[in-house]
Amino acid sequence: MLTVAALYHFTRFPDPAALRGPLTELCIAQGVKGSLLLANEGINGTIAGPAEGVANVLAHLRALPGCAALEHKESYATKMPFGRMKVKLKREIVTMGQPDIDPVARVGSYVAAQDWNALIASPDVALIDTRNDYEIGIGTFHGAVDPDIRTFRDFPKWWEAHKDEYLGKRIAMFCTGGIRCEKSTNYLLGQGVTEVYHLKGGILKYLEDVPAETSMWDGECYVFDGRVSVGHGLVPGDYDTCHACGRPISAVDKQRSEYERGACCHHCAAEYSETDRNRFRERQRQLDLAGARSKAQVSE
């Protein structure tokens, strides 16, 4: 059993590039794989590996300046959900494209998972899902507003177009692990909204702590690793990934005429050229060959 740790922390890194090398080396030495993003505003990502290895990486992160309070959401997987370890330098650890956003300065009021149902059931609360359209497509909370955005950059434009619909409402927002809401709640406060709330620890914490029988969650939660989705108790879900566009697909989706393993699904049928499709097909062919060689070696 492997430990999977999803994490983020906003702090000021004057030189994030200087942190990249030692962090990458430690992860590799500890048998940890995944993806971590470093920026001047902090760190974000998900890692997986042996329990001791993940614990050592988390200890290293918490020893960085301003990171002592770094929190993480922990779950488990029976096989490694990542192919390699990547530590990338970015302008933002979650891209909103709003230069004046500062989650370190102020954010909305946190609401614990066990208190979330009572809040969102209130008639004066507007519940907004801040995730992308393909994530919302496989699961969300009862009654949540879907902004129908392709990327987080689109959220401020959506809010500007729809803000009058929420006059006099308290706003509650949520996302996968909580990081988007650090920025979206700061943004709404800056836009003059007085009461803004967000789910502490995100959907992952809710699915971990709230029993299915009292849950207000419908469907599964998309995660950015090889598990694709998780359900209550953070058990792996039933979705696969389209290896052309990266969106989640179900067993039913694979029966559609647009689906071609490794090359296309109904989500991306009109998004790529035939040259792209051929490139995807060749990639899938190489993956199949590598898989066949690996099986042959094991059987020997």
Side-chain angles (χ1 to χ4, degrees):
M1 189 66 71
L2 298 168
T3 297
V4 182
L7 60 99
Y8 74 85
H9 190 71
F10 284 97
T11 188
R12 299 300 178 198
F13 288 147
D15 186 10
L19 308 177
R20 184 184 187 187
L23 180 55
T24 303
E25 292 172 7
L26 175 64
C27 289
I28 293 173
Q30 295 293 324
V32 170
K33 297 181 181 180
S35 178
L36 292 173
L37 306 180
L38 290 168
N40 290 116
E41 65 180 11
I43 186 168
N44 175 33
T46 305
I47 56 174
E52 183 178 0
V54 170
N56 288 336
V57 173
L58 291 173
H60 173 86
L61 294 176
R62 292 187 175 110
L64 296 176
C67 290
L70 180 147
E71 297 182 3
H72 75 282
K73 272 73 70 180
E74 196 166 289
S75 55
Y76 304 93
T78 56
K79 62 180 181 179
M80 173 57 73
F82 297 103
R84 59 194 176 111
M85 186 67 224
K86 297 180 290 184
V87 181
K88 296 182 179 181
L89 300 177
K90 295 284 186 178
R91 293 179 62 88
E92 300 178 68
I93 57 174
V94 57
T95 303
M96 195 179 194
Q98 297 289 313
D100 295 330
I101 293 295
D102 185 8
V104 175
R106 63 172 180 169
V107 295
S109 300
Y110 292 107
V111 179
Q114 59 267 28
D115 300 323
W116 186 246
N117 287 357
L119 173 69
I120 66 176
S122 180
D124 68 333
V125 170
L127 179 63
I128 301 174
D129 194 330
T130 66
R131 299 172 302 151
N132 298 343
D133 51 6
Y134 64 90
E135 299 172 75
I136 296 174
I138 69 169
T140 191
F141 282 105
H142 301 335
V145 175
D146 176 4
D148 193 25
I149 56 177
R150 292 290 302 274
T151 74
F152 194 37
R153 283 181 174 274
D154 299 330
F155 183 82
K157 183 178 179 181
W158 174 84
W159 174 257
E160 185 61 30
H162 295 272
K163 62 184 180 182
D164 290 345
E165 301 170 22
Y166 304 103
L167 292 174
K169 291 280 190 178
R170 294 186 291 160
I171 304 297
M173 294 190 286
F174 63 93
C175 58
T176 306
I179 187 171
R180 283 192 176 204
C181 293
E182 301 282 349
K183 287 194 170 184
S184 61
T185 59
N186 177 273
Y187 174 76
L188 260 62
L189 289 168
Q191 296 296 305
V193 181
T194 56
E195 288 193 70
V196 186
Y197 303 87
H198 51 137
L199 176 57
K200 186 172 178 59
I203 302 163
L204 295 179
K205 188 63 175 172
Y206 183 91
L207 294 178
E208 180 183 10
D209 288 356
V210 177
E213 55 268 23
T214 60
S215 174
M216 295 182 69
W217 176 263
D218 282 327
E220 297 179 11
C221 177
Y222 182 83
V223 290
F224 296 86
D225 59 58
R227 295 171 298 171
V228 185
S229 66
V230 296
H232 282 91
L234 301 183
V235 297
D238 297 322
Y239 282 83
D240 198 354
T241 298
C242 170
H243 294 292
C245 67
R247 296 184 180 98
I249 50 176
S250 66
V252 173
D253 294 332
K254 292 181 181 180
Q255 302 303 313
R256 295 179 60 140
S257 60
E258 302 96 329
Y259 178 71
E260 180 183 347
R261 182 170 169 268
C264 190
C265 74
H266 67 285
H267 295 298
C268 64
E271 293 181 356
Y272 296 102
S273 68
E274 190 60 22
T275 299
D276 291 327
R277 296 293 176 207
N278 288 331
R279 178 163 51 84
F280 299 152
R281 292 177 184 118
E282 176 59 22
R283 179 181 61 188
Q284 187 61 51
R285 190 180 75 85
Q286 294 297 330
L287 288 171
D288 290 342
L289 287 172
R293 284 195 296 268
S294 177
K295 288 181 180 178
Q297 290 170 357
V298 170
S299 64
E300 290 173 359

